[in-house]
Amino acid sequence: MTSQTTVKTLLILGASGDLTGRLLLPGLARLVSRGRADGLTLVGAGSDDWTPDQWLERLEESFADATSQAGASGRRELKQIRESTSYHQLDVTADGQLAGLLAQLEGPVAVYFALPPRVSQLACEALDPGQVPAGTRLVMEKPFGSSEASARQLNETLAALVPEDHIHRVDHFLGKATVLNILGLRFANTFLEPVWNRGHIEKVEIVFDEDLALEGRARYYDGAGALRDMIQSHLLQIMALMAIEPPASVDERDLRDAVATVLRASSIKAPYAKSTRRARYTAGSIGGRTVPDYAKEEGVDAARGTETLAEVVVEIDNWRWQGVPFILRSGKALGFKRKEAVVTFRPVPHLPRGFTGVDSPNQLRIGFGPDTLQFDVDVNGPGDVLSLDRATLQAELSGSELLPYGEVLEGVLTGDPLLSVRADTAEDCWRILEPVLKAWARDSAPLEEYAAGSDGPEGWQAD
C-alpha cells in the first residue's frame, strides 16, 4: 500500500542550480498558488554560499509568474512560503551534513535531489538508515544512474534508507494529464483496440525535437547527450504507455506492472548502424538567432562525440507488437519544434478500382504540450466524388492547470507514485539502451552532422 503521509517540508538539494530556478520553483509556485500545497515549508540547500537575500531573490524571480496570476488566497500562500523559507550551504556528500539538516526539519520531509546522478548517489551513500526520519520521501531526477549497474546500485542504496513507496524517480515529461489522455484514448474507444496491434499498425514514432540549443547546459548535457537525456527515460515511458496491455485500473500498481511488462519485452537489435542513428549540430540560425557549432560551445569537450540528435528503433517481442518498429527520436537545435507520437496504420489491402487521388495510410497523432489529437483519414473530396482527399479530425485533450514539475511535486507531497518510475523499470530502461551506448563508444554508428535550424542530417527525413 502507498502511504498517504502529508509532507510538511520540501528540501531541495541543488537549490542554487539551473533546474531549481528554471523548472522546480515555478512548478511549486503554481501548485501553491492553486491551494494544493497548504502549510508547506520550503528549504533550499546548495554548494553555493548564498545569503538569505540571494535565496529570496531567486524565489521572487521564480514565483513572479504564478504571483501575477494568483488570486488573494494564492498570493497569501506564496507569501507564507517566502516568509518561512531558509537556505543552507551544504556539501551533501560529506558525512553528517545532510543528516544534520534533516534532523532540524519538521517532518515528514521530501528531499528533492536536483543534482547530477553521481552526486545524488554519493549523497545517499553518506546517509545511514538511522539518520533518515520516518516518513521521509526521496525524490530522484533523471537520468536515474548512468548504466544498468549504477541504477541497480542506486536502487539498493535507496532501499536501505526508505521503503520503495517513499522513493520517487520522477519523470516531469509525463504529466498526469498526458498519461491519462493516452490511456483514455486507447482504452475508452472500442474502434481502436481491435486495430491496435501488428496486424493493422505499420510503425509508431515518438518524437521530441527542440528548437533550443545547448543554452548554457554543457556541464550536464555534454556528459549525457540526446540518448541518455531524452530517450532513456522520457520516450521509453511514452512508448510503454502506447504499447501496454489493458490494465485493470489506472492505480499505480496495475499501471506500473503493465509498463514493466512491455519494457521487459523491448530491445534494440544489432547491427546498431542500422537500428540507430546519431548526429551533432553545427553552426546555424534558429528564428533569427545565431547558434554556434556545438563542438565550440563553452564547456563542451568535442572529443567526447556527444550526440545532440538520436534515433533508435525499438522492437517489442510479444504477440501484439512483433515486427512493428517503435522509432524514438529526440534532438536539439532543430528548425521545427515537434513533440508528438505518430501511429501509422497499414494501407488498406485493396482500394476499389475507380478511386483516384490520395490513398495514403491513416495516421493518428498525439501531441504533447499542449496535448492534442489528430486523426488523418482519406475521404471523398469536393467536386469529383471518386477523388480521395486527406482530411484531419482534430481535438484538444484535457490539460492540467499545473506546470509539469507542479504535477510531479503534487505526487510527491500527496504520496501518489503514479508519475514515478519503479525500481525495476529504471534498470530496464538502461538495459535496453546500454548496448547502443557501448556500440556508439566503438563508433559502430557514424556521428553525422546537421546545421542548427535544419530538419536534421540530409536523408534522415526521407528514410
Side-chain angles (χ1 to χ4, degrees):
M1 292 291 293
T2 299
S3 169
Q4 296 300 315
T5 303
T6 301
V7 168
K8 294 293 185 182
T9 304
L10 173 63
L11 170 60
I12 299 178
L13 306 181
S16 55
D18 173 72
L19 170 67
T20 299
R22 189 167 51 90
L23 296 171
L24 256 181
L25 291 177
L28 174 65
R30 180 79 68 87
L31 182 67
V32 169
S33 70
R34 296 297 195 273
R36 291 160 73 167
D38 292 347
L40 182 71
T41 299
L42 172 65
V43 177
S47 57
D48 292 315
D49 184 15
W50 275 14
T51 65
D53 285 344
Q54 284 176 294
W55 174 237
L56 284 174
E57 184 180 346
R58 160 151 283 194
L59 262 60
E60 290 289 347
E61 292 175 357
S62 299
F63 284 15
D65 186 58
T67 302
S68 68
Q69 299 179 34
S73 62
R75 288 195 295 273
R76 282 196 300 272
E77 290 294 329
L78 290 169
K79 182 181 179 183
Q80 184 275 327
I81 290 280
R82 291 193 297 268
E83 290 177 344
S84 63
T85 192
S86 60
Y87 176 86
H88 304 261
Q89 186 182 14
L90 205 66
D91 178 358
V92 295
T93 65
D95 285 342
Q97 289 202 22
L98 178 55
L101 179 56
L102 280 174
Q104 301 173 30
L105 303 179
E106 181 185 6
V109 179
V111 185
Y112 200 112
F113 292 79
L115 301 166
R118 181 59 184 156
V119 180
S120 297
Q121 171 80 31
L122 293 172
C124 292
E125 290 175 354
L127 288 170
D128 292 328
Q131 297 173 324
V132 181
T136 299
R137 297 185 175 277
L138 303 180
V139 190
M140 313 300 292
E141 263 286 334
K142 62 89 185 174
F144 186 81
S146 57
S147 64
E148 184 179 9
S150 66
R152 185 175 299 113
Q153 181 184 355
L154 184 50
N155 278 332
E156 291 169 356
T157 301
L158 294 171
L161 299 175
V162 299
E164 170 64 27
D165 66 359
H166 283 58
I167 302 169
H168 294 258
R169 303 166 190 83
V170 298
D171 184 355
H172 69 273
F173 188 81
L174 275 183
K176 196 166 190 175
T178 298
V179 170
L180 297 178
N181 282 337
I182 293 174
L183 298 179
L185 175 68
R186 280 204 53 194
F187 302 124
N189 295 288
T190 55
F191 72 91
L192 273 182
E193 180 58 25
V195 298
W196 205 260
N197 55 53
R198 60 189 171 85
H200 299 275
I201 291 178
E202 185 175 279
K203 63 180 178 179
V204 178
E205 300 164 274
I206 299 169
V207 179
F208 192 90
D209 283 352
E210 299 180 271
D211 56 2
L212 294 175
L214 193 56
E215 314 298 332
R217 297 178 66 223
R219 183 178 174 185
Y220 160 72
Y221 192 86
D222 199 46
L227 189 64
R228 290 182 179 93
D229 183 49
M230 286 299 304
I231 294 176
Q232 184 271 335
S233 53
H234 301 326
L235 302 196
L236 280 174
Q237 292 296 315
I238 291 178
M239 181 199 80
L241 290 174
M242 299 288 288
I244 60 171
E245 296 301 317
S249 73
V250 293
D251 292 341
E252 56 90 13
R253 182 172 180 178
D254 286 339
L255 186 55
R256 297 203 295 179
D257 280 349
V259 166
T261 299
V262 165
L263 290 175
R264 282 197 299 271
S266 302
S267 63
I268 301 170
K269 303 286 200 303
Y272 299 109
K274 182 178 180 182
S275 59
T276 72
R277 300 195 285 197
R278 58 180 179 148
R280 184 168 67 186
Y281 69 78
T282 58
S285 176
I286 304 175
R289 59 188 174 94
T290 300
V291 177
D293 189 324
Y294 176 85
K296 296 178 181 177
E297 290 259 31
E298 184 178 352
V300 167
D301 179 0
R304 272 196 181 125
T306 299
E307 80 288 349
T308 60
L309 174 62
E311 182 180 286
V312 299
V313 179
V314 181
E315 297 181 28
I316 302 176
D317 293 321
N318 63 18
W319 185 279
R320 183 184 291 265
W321 296 115
Q322 189 67 45
V324 178
F326 282 74
I327 303 164
L328 313 186
R329 165 187 159 131
S330 181
K332 285 189 172 296
L334 292 152
F336 180 64
K337 187 190 299 185
R338 187 178 170 211
K339 304 175 183 180
E340 63 178 356
V342 183
V343 179
T344 301
F345 292 89
R346 297 189 183 280
V348 296
H350 171 71
L351 184 68
R353 287 189 300 274
F355 280 112
T356 60
V358 175
D359 175 31
S360 53
N362 304 116
Q363 287 189 323
L364 179 68
R365 297 175 178 270
I366 304 172
F368 305 117
D371 288 4
T372 58
L373 177 68
Q374 293 185 342
F375 191 31
D376 295 335
V377 295
D378 293 329
V379 297
N380 299 64
D384 184 355
V385 294
L386 292 174
S387 177
L388 297 172
D389 201 358
R390 172 54 48 96
T392 300
L393 310 178
Q394 302 186 63
E396 289 188 10
L397 303 180
S398 175
S400 171
E401 65 174 356
L402 302 178
L403 296 173
Y405 268 89
E407 290 196 304
V408 164
L409 287 169
E410 185 173 45
V412 172
L413 300 180
T414 60
D416 180 5
L418 181 67
L419 298 183
S420 300
V421 176
R422 205 167 63 185
D424 56 339
T425 299
E427 294 173 22
D428 241 344
C429 287
W430 283 115
R431 190 264 311 160
I432 293 167
L433 289 181
E434 241 178 1
V436 178
L437 292 168
K438 291 177 180 177
W440 286 3
R442 300 189 304 267
D443 289 327
S444 296
L447 180 63
E448 301 179 54
E449 292 185 336
Y450 63 100
S454 69
D455 292 334
E458 187 176 351
W460 276 40
Q461 297 296 322
D463 290 357

